[in-house]
């Protein structure tokens, strides 16, 4: 969800700058325009998206990868204990 929101925000900014540049040239305060504030806002959106991606990977994907890695190591250790003539497939 966070990814689709951030991609949508980036797309909206590009479309506004391409087709409605007058909207982005409106001053907010001083020399700061809506386009400049939107450009800086994209950095904030990118940082939030990267943070949520990191949290998701640490909570969901990394534990699954660790379980799979441990299972592969157990299988390799069990296969190493089997005598060579009892193995079904040869080694590389």
């Amino acid at each position: 969800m966070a990814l689709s929101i951030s991609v949508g925000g980036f797309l909206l900014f590009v479309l506004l700058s391409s087709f409605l540049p007058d909207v982005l040239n409106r001053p907010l305060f001083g020399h700061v325009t809506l386009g400049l504030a939107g450009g800086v806002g994209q950095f904030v959106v990118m940082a939030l998206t990267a943070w949520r991606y990191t949290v998701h990977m640490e909570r969901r994907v990394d534990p699954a990868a660790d379980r799979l890695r441990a299972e592969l190591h157990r299988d390799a250790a069990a296969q190493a204990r089997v005598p060579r003539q009892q193995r079904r497939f040869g080694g590389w």
Side-chain angles (χ1 to χ4, degrees):
M1 169 120 172
L3 180 63
S4 61
I5 290 172
S6 62
V7 170
F10 293 142
L11 181 63
L12 177 66
F13 187 76
V14 169
L15 291 175
L16 281 174
S17 66
S18 296
F19 297 110
L20 297 172
D22 294 337
V23 172
L24 295 181
N25 284 330
R26 289 186 182 160
L28 290 178
F29 55 90
H31 293 292
V32 177
T33 63
L34 187 61
L36 183 61
V40 171
Q42 284 189 342
F43 285 102
V44 174
V45 169
M46 181 182 62
L48 287 173
T49 303
W51 171 69
R52 285 300 306 155
Y53 174 78
T54 303
V55 168
H56 171 74
M57 294 300 283
E58 287 174 352
R59 288 185 184 167
R60 304 283 173 118
V61 177
D62 288 347
D66 291 339
R67 286 191 303 271
L68 181 59
R69 190 176 296 114
E71 184 178 330
L72 289 173
H73 286 295
R74 278 194 309 271
D75 290 346
Q79 187 178 14
R81 287 192 299 264
V82 176
R84 197 129 181 90
Q85 55 272 48
Q86 291 180 3
R87 291 184 187 174
R88 186 171 175 182
F89 299 104
W92 291 83

